[in-house]
């Protein structure tokens, strides 16, 4: 079910604390609004609020994921302040109140189309992502949707966002799911078997590094079926002029076997 009907709520209040200003982005079952705070107890003026459709069959799991988002505190993660549930025009909706960002890495890369990022910019972006992944993996959490659109900039700091499909592994190093989540251009071969582990994020990191360092996807394909065949059976292809260190890093993240990935 789409939540696009919520775009008509601009200017209205939700949960008695926030006034929705304008939509910032859309997902399959969620929409993010810029919102102003009307509660005098808060010490920040504007926030981002992600409104998520409540799935009655997965409600407890959705609540768990929202609690994960609130529990994670790191300088390279978008800060989540609160979550609530409400009923909007007869629809049950969760709201996740988050730190407001200035834009995404996807937006940033579009600004540099046909231009090269400076080594300083690349280093800062990569280090920020690595620090964020190290933190969540140490907490037994896999993001499973690492991509430029989920890496946001707050001032001069790059932060990982959107734990809507994060997974808790507890004491195990991997788990299985019947559903393939994540943006398909960034998913690893084992996703087709439903295996989720920290190595999933490392594969996605390799694809992201390729985008940063070569401006190309290492598994070029004309359709989804061809893409899945390539990630399972073909080696990644990088431009011949790719810096040897960058090439080494990317290939270290893109081993077919998840046990061999960096």
């Amino acid at each position: 079910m789409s939540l696009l009907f919520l775009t008509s709520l601009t200017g209205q209040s939700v949960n008695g604390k926030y006034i929705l200003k304008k939509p910032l982005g859309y997902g399959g079952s969620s929409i993010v609004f810029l919102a102003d705070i009307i509660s005098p107890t808060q010490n920040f003026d504007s926030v981002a609020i992600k409104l998520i459709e409540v799935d009655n069959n997965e409600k407890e799991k959705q609540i768990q994921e929202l609690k994960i988002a609130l529990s994670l505190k790191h300088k390279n993660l978008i800060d989540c302040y609160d979550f609530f549930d409400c009923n909007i025009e007869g629809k049950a909706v969760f709201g996740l109140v988050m730190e407001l960002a200035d834009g995404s890495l996807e937006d940033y890369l579009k600004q540099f189309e046909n231009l090269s990022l400076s080594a300083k910019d690349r280093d800062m972006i990569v280090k920020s992502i690595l620090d964020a992944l190290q933190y969540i993996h140490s907490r037994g959490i896999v993001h499973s949707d690492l991509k430029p659109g989920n890496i946001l900039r707050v001032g001069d700091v790059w932060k990982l966002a959107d734990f809507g499909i994060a997974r808790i592994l507890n004491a195990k190093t991997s788990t299985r799911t019947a559903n393939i989540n994540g943006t398909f251009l960034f998913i690893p071969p084992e996703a087709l078997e439903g295996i989720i582990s920290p190595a999933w994020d490392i594969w996605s990191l390799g694809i992201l590094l390729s985008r940063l360092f070569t401006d190309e996807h290492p598994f070029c394909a004309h359709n989804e079926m061809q893409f899945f065949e390539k990630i399972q059976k073909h080696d990644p292809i990088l431009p011949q002029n790719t810096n040897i260190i960058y090439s080494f890093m990317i290939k270290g993240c893109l081993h077919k076997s998840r046990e061999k990935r960096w």
Side-chain angles (χ1 to χ4, degrees):
M1 184 186 301
S2 172
L3 292 183
L4 290 180
F5 76 93
L6 292 176
T7 57
S8 64
L9 297 178
T10 297
Q12 296 190 36
S13 65
V14 292
N15 199 40
K17 294 182 180 180
Y18 311 100
I19 297 177
L20 303 179
K21 300 294 287 184
K22 66 177 182 179
L24 298 176
Y26 308 89
S29 59
S30 66
I31 180 170
V32 178
F33 271 92
L34 170 67
D36 285 343
I37 297 168
I38 57 179
S39 169
T41 60
Q42 302 286 2
N43 58 3
F44 35 80
D45 296 324
S46 296
V47 291
I49 296 182
K50 184 175 185 178
L51 298 177
I52 307 159
E53 178 189 359
V54 174
D55 183 340
N56 289 326
N57 295 322
E58 299 281 345
K59 187 174 181 179
E60 291 305 314
K61 181 181 163 201
Q62 287 180 304
I63 292 173
Q64 181 191 45
E65 291 168 348
L66 290 167
K67 288 180 178 179
I68 291 173
L70 288 182
S71 72
L72 298 174
K73 302 297 178 184
H74 187 274
K75 63 183 176 64
N76 293 118
L77 297 181
I78 285 290
D79 202 3
C80 297
Y81 306 125
D82 188 18
F83 82 88
F84 57 86
D85 60 83
C86 61
N87 193 286
I88 301 176
E89 296 188 4
K91 308 289 185 184
V93 174
F94 287 123
L96 178 63
V97 185
M98 305 177 293
E99 180 178 25
L100 186 62
D102 301 313
S104 70
L105 179 57
E106 186 173 15
D107 300 329
Y108 190 68
L109 292 174
K110 286 178 181 176
Q111 294 177 18
F112 284 86
E113 190 171 1
N114 299 322
L115 297 173
S116 296
L117 289 173
S118 70
K120 181 180 179 181
D121 283 341
R122 278 194 300 249
D123 288 348
M124 179 173 62
I125 292 167
V126 172
K127 185 181 186 303
S128 299
I129 298 169
L130 290 175
D131 284 350
L133 287 180
Q134 183 182 38
Y135 171 76
I136 66 170
H137 289 175
S138 72
R139 299 284 297 267
I141 295 169
V142 178
H143 187 281
S144 71
D145 198 21
L146 181 64
K147 61 182 180 181
N150 282 338
I151 299 163
L152 306 182
R153 190 165 50 117
V154 179
D156 294 328
V157 181
W158 290 99
K159 301 192 177 192
L160 184 57
D162 200 349
F163 290 81
I165 56 174
R167 295 287 181 267
I168 302 179
L169 299 184
N170 298 320
K172 299 186 293 183
T173 59
S174 68
T175 189
R176 287 182 179 269
T177 178
N179 301 313
I180 296 179
N181 290 310
T183 304
F184 87 87
L185 288 174
F186 289 82
I187 67 171
E190 67 270 16
L192 299 175
E193 303 172 54
I195 299 173
I196 298 176
S197 75
W200 179 309
D201 289 339
I202 301 305
W203 175 279
S204 301
L205 175 65
I207 303 295
L208 184 57
L209 293 177
S210 180
R211 172 70 180 87
L212 282 174
F213 297 143
T214 74
D215 201 31
E216 295 183 18
H217 196 289
F219 299 98
C220 184
H222 297 295
N223 54 59
E224 195 169 320
M225 184 177 295
Q226 187 183 69
F227 172 78
F228 288 141
E229 180 183 3
K230 286 199 171 185
I231 65 173
Q232 289 179 298
K233 300 178 180 178
H234 294 249
D235 292 330
I237 297 176
L238 303 176
Q240 291 185 350
N241 62 347
T242 304
N243 180 288
I244 189 170
I245 296 176
Y246 298 157
S247 177
F248 185 61
M249 292 170 62
I250 293 166
K251 289 178 180 178
C253 294
L254 295 179
H255 280 289
K256 305 294 185 196
S257 170
R258 60 190 178 92
E259 290 84 2
K260 293 181 179 179
R261 277 176 221 149
W262 283 15

